[in-house]
Every structure is written in C-alpha cells, then in structure tokens.
C-alpha cells in the first residue's frame, strides 16, 4: 500500500514521526512537507532528531494570509497526489496544511485519512476549529484519539469510518522521554534546576494578536516567583516586538528560541508547572505528570481538565497567576488517550481499508 503523508507545521512533524516509524515497516510512504513552517528550529530540527526521513518533496509555501497559503498548498498537493497516485493521503491535526490536503485529496481517487479526528473546542473563532471540522467531514478514515472524540464525530454524523485509536502524541512522548533524559543538556544549558521553574509557550493567534491579552499573559508569567522559561514561537516574537513588549519580556523571563523536541520534552518533564495555549503541550504535560495551566477559555483536550491536571484560565492575568500558584493535581490519573500504541493501530487500520 502506498501512503502519501502531508505535514507542514511543528506538531505535525512530531505526530507523523510516531506513525511513520510504524508505517514504514510494511508500507511505502511518500512524505510531502508543505513548507508552512520553515525556520530551522520550527522544522529541520524535528527531522534531524525524530529520525523522520527527509521529505520527498517540500512545496515551500511559507507564511501568508490563510486564503493565499491554503490555496497555494492545494495547488501543489493536487499535483503531487496526481503524480504519486497513492492509496491513501494521511493528514494530521488541524492546521492549514491539514485542510489543504483534505480539500485536494477528497476530490481525487484516493482515501483521505485523518489522525486526531473528532477534536472540538466549539469555538469557531479559532481557524483550527474550522480546519478540523471540514477535514473530518471530508475524510474516509477518521482516527480519533479518545472516546469523546469518537462521540463528537457520531454526533455530527460524519460519513467516513470512525476508529478509536488512542493518541499518537502519547506514542511520541513514550519514545522521547528516556531519550531526552539521556541526551538533552537543556537544563544545564539554561541554568535551571528540575522542579524549580515554570515552562511556558504562547502562540495561539487569539492570544498573540491581541496586545492586551499578550501583555496580560507576559505579566502574569513574569510575576511568578519561579524562573519562567519561554521558548518563543516566531509569531509571538514578531507580535512582542510590534507591541513593544519584547525588551521587558527578555528582562523578566528566560526567553529562548523554540526548542528541539527532545529538549522540549525534557523541559516539560522537569518543570514544576507548564503554562501554555498549545494543544499538544497540554497533553504532553499530562503524559509527563506535570500540572498544566492553559491560557485559553476552552480546550479540545477536556479529559485533562476533568482529571484535575489542567486548569483553563484564559488570558486573564489574575487567573493565570492564581492557577500557577495553586496547581495541585490529584495523585490518581486516568488514561483517556489510549495505551501508546496508536501508530500500530492506525497502520493496521490502513491495511484493512
Ligand atoms: C500554525 C497552526 C496552528 C498550530 C501552529 C503550531 C494554522 C492556521 N495554524 O500556527 O494551528 O498550533 O502552527 O506551531 O495552520 N513563522 C516564522 N517561521 C516559521 C513559521 C512561522 O517566522 O517557520 C511566523 C510567520 O511570521 C508567520 C507566523 O509565524 O506569519 C505564523 O505562522 P503560521 O504557520 O501561519 O501559523 P502558526 O501561528 O505557526
Ligand atoms: N514543541 C517543541 N519545541 C517548542 C515548543 C513545542 O518541540 O519550543 C513541540 C511540543 O513538544 C509538541 C508540539 O511542539 O510536540 C506542539 O506544537 P505547538 O505548540 O506549536 O502546536 P499545537 O500543538 O498547539 O498545534
């Protein structure tokens, strides 16, 4: 069976690496990178560290408005799918690269398979919510990471076949945790002690593109008594500079470039708490037993909140500060995202399709 995988943004490299390792044992895989993320530390570092083969093709689309970026990807992907004639096109998550591949593949004679199907924030202001709903409704095979994701899809009566596979990011963390402990020197490099710092990330458009929200988040983080490490996404650095928040943040926080995956897993594993608006980081913190404070009003990963390991606090300075000070998760932790064998399940289901 020939599978054409489409990736483009940082979290997709992590997810695709986990599946690719398993998939390539028994299938031919063609890997197409749309070029949505292109900086060394947003893209190349993942291919180097995660043992993913180099992409067979990079469309080099880069940054643009949603419409222009997605349109250029659709054109490029349609050509590649036509040329490769795969049995299935495999897409991940909810970025513009996901949507572009879904649009291109669903109009051609190939199955569309969606990993991380069925997630919903029910906030249509998020571009990701639109991307994931449209992709799920176009997909032939839907690989859901949890029971709730399956139920969400049933409620929407999606036409494709829905499977509960567990979450591929759990596979990724299980692969990386010990490797990170063995190889990463990030704690020494940054001069932080395990258990004594907060790890933060911010990149969600709803937070970065609103000066008041971004300022509130940075203030709340800076006022935490612990050291706060913030590996900053390029979007966030651009906005901090634009709103003249950058110099202040650099003085008050440990501001770094985006970290490679092993360093980032190590930082999450050893943090006293994580503060984030990322989707993937909420889950990784949960898998790594680190309490999380999510700087959004809703989450697709509600199980982590229900389990008491994640607090939703929006971009509200006082709520962020209080949640960071009071994070106290229970000792018991459920396992709502499978057993860490999602890649094997997905590969087997592709076989049967
Ligand atoms: C995208 C996804 C988001 C995902 C995130 C993962 C969409 C709509 N959004 O958001 O769901 O959580 O990736 O990190 O697909 N930039 C660089 N260098 C890069 C990449 C981006 O400088 O390598 C800057 C550019 O100024 C660009 C901005 O970051 O305009 C935003 O990049 P873009 O890919 O459009 O969205 P993300 O915020 O990264
Ligand atoms: N990540 C990383 N370095 C960083 C920040 C994040 O390697 O500096 C990884 C993180 O471990 C997770 C993924 O990137 O696997 C999450 O991506 P991101 O937060 O950009 O996107 P989201 O999950 O919100 O779509």
């Amino acid at each position: 069976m020939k599978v054409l995988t489409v990736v483009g943004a940082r979290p997709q490299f992590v997810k695709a690496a986990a599946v690719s390792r398993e998939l390539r044992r028994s299938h031919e895989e063609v890997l197409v990178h749309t070029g949505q993320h292109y900086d060394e530390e947003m893209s190349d570092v993942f291919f180097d560290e995660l043992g993913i083969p180099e992409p067979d093709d990079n469309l080099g689309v880069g940054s643009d408005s949603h419409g222009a970026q997605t349109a250029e990807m659709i054109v490029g992907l349609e050509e590649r799918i036509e040329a490769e004639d795969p049995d299935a096109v495999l897409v991940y998550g909810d970025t513009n690269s996901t949507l572009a591949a879904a649009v291109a593949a669903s109009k051609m004679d190939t199955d569309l398979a969606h990993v991380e199907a069925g997630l919903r924030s029910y906030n249509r202001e998020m571009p990701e919510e639109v991307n994931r709903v449209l992709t799920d409704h176009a997909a032939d095979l839907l690989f859901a990471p949890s029971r709730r994701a399956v139920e969400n899809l049933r409620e929407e009566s999606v036409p494709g076949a829905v499977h509960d596979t567990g979450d591929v990011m759990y596979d990724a963390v299980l692969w990386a945790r010990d490797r990170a402990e063995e190889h990463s020197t990030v704690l020494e490099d940054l001069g932080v002690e395990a258990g004594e710092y907060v790890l933060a990330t911010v990149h969600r458009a709803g937070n970065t593109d609103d000066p008041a929200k971004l300022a509130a988040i940075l203030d709340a983080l800076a006022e935490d008594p612990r050291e706060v490490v913030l590996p900053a996404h390029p979007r966030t650095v651009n906005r901090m500079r634009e709103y003249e928040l950058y110099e202040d943040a650099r003085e008050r926080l440990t501001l770094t470039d985006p970290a490679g995956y092993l360093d980032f897993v190590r930082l999450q594993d050893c943090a006293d708490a994580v503060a984030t608006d990322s989707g993937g980081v909420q889950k990784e913190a949960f898998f790594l037993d680190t309490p999380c404070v999510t700087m959004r009003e809703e989450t697709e990963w509600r199980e982590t909140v229900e389990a008491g390991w994640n607090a939703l606090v929006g971009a509200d300075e006082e709520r962020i500060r209080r949640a960071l000070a009071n994070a106290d998760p229970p000792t018991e932790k459920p396992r709502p995202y499978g057993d860490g064998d999602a890649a094997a399940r997905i590969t087997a289901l592709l076989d049967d399709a």
Side-chain angles (χ1 to χ4, degrees):
M1 181 179 204
K2 183 170 177 180
V3 176
L4 187 146
T5 297
V6 179
V7 292
R10 173 166 70 184
Q12 295 169 327
F13 310 137
V14 173
K15 295 165 199 173
V19 175
S20 201
R21 256 175 242 126
E22 191 64 37
L23 189 69
R24 286 187 186 229
R25 290 173 197 258
S26 50
H27 296 293
E28 183 187 353
E29 185 184 36
V30 177
L31 187 63
V32 180
H33 187 327
T34 61
Q36 178 171 351
H37 286 175
Y38 44 86
D39 288 347
E40 156 81 30
E41 63 270 18
M42 294 298 287
S43 178
D44 296 2
V45 66
F46 295 93
F47 288 85
D48 297 341
E49 277 189 3
L50 294 170
I52 328 172
E54 285 301 301
D56 296 279
D57 222 327
N58 188 323
L59 306 182
V61 166
S63 308
D64 212 325
S65 67
H66 286 274
Q69 186 186 54
T70 310
E72 196 178 333
M73 289 176 191
I74 294 173
V75 173
L77 288 168
E78 186 178 60
E79 275 173 23
R80 297 320 184 275
I81 297 168
E82 179 94 46
E84 294 290 345
D85 192 22
D87 300 294
V89 171
L90 189 58
V91 302
Y92 292 86
D94 52 24
T95 73
N96 289 347
S97 298
T98 317
L99 176 64
V103 171
S106 61
K107 297 187 177 186
M108 301 176 82
D109 184 22
T110 178
D111 279 344
L112 172 66
H114 185 204
V115 176
E116 255 190 19
L119 295 176
R120 296 291 180 267
S121 67
Y122 298 105
N123 173 2
R124 288 287 181 124
E125 306 252 299
M126 289 177 75
E128 292 85 358
E129 181 77 354
V130 177
N131 290 346
R132 53 173 92 98
V133 169
L134 295 177
T135 302
D136 283 338
H137 283 259
D140 302 289
L141 287 166
L142 297 98
F143 302 134
S146 66
R147 289 299 314 158
R148 172 170 281 132
V150 170
E151 283 159 25
N152 293 342
L153 292 166
R154 296 248 153 87
E155 271 169 30
E156 289 176 25
S157 304
V158 294
V162 176
H163 302 279
D164 183 358
T165 58
D167 182 28
V168 294
M169 264 197 162
Y170 190 22
D171 298 28
V173 167
L174 293 177
W175 179 89
R177 189 180 205 169
D178 291 348
R179 282 179 175 80
E181 184 175 357
E182 196 179 331
H183 297 294
S184 171
T185 58
V186 69
L187 301 191
E188 295 84 334
D189 298 345
L190 293 175
V192 291
E193 294 287 332
E196 294 187 2
Y197 64 92
V198 172
L199 175 67
T201 76
V202 189
H203 76 276
R204 201 61 55 207
N207 284 334
T208 60
D209 296 6
D210 178 329
K213 285 188 177 171
L214 187 55
I217 287 172
L218 294 172
D219 279 340
L221 295 176
E223 278 160 35
D224 193 278
R226 295 159 289 191
E227 191 159 348
V228 175
V229 178
L230 174 63
H233 189 291
R235 170 194 280 279
T236 314
V237 172
N238 292 343
R239 293 293 182 254
M240 285 196 285
R241 288 191 196 281
E242 193 179 325
Y243 308 148
E244 296 182 359
L245 299 167
Y246 183 78
E247 288 307 323
D248 187 52
R250 215 162 56 108
E251 274 170 31
R252 300 166 77 197
L253 304 167
T254 303
L255 203 57
T256 71
D257 286 338
Y261 185 62
L262 291 181
D263 283 349
F264 197 76
V265 166
R266 187 75 188 139
L267 282 168
Q268 290 180 94
D269 203 8
C270 296
D272 197 35
V274 161
T276 192
D277 59 9
S278 158
V281 176
Q282 291 175 60
K283 264 183 307 170
E284 287 176 344
F286 181 73
F287 296 140
L288 293 164
D289 306 317
T290 303
C292 184
V293 169
T294 295
M295 300 180 288
R296 289 175 45 194
E297 296 293 353
E298 74 294 302
T299 178
E300 308 76 39
W301 304 103
R302 271 164 50 201
E303 298 85 355
T304 60
V305 177
E306 287 158 6
W309 281 79
N310 189 5
L312 289 176
V313 294
D316 181 294
E317 189 177 334
E318 187 49 35
R319 284 164 70 201
I320 298 169
R321 206 180 309 140
R322 246 187 293 126
L324 276 173
N326 298 326
D328 183 21
T331 42
E332 291 289 302
K333 213 176 59 168
R335 289 158 65 107
Y337 303 121
D339 302 319
D341 59 357
R345 285 170 184 265
I346 287 167
T347 302
L349 287 161
L350 283 168
D351 271 333
D352 294 344

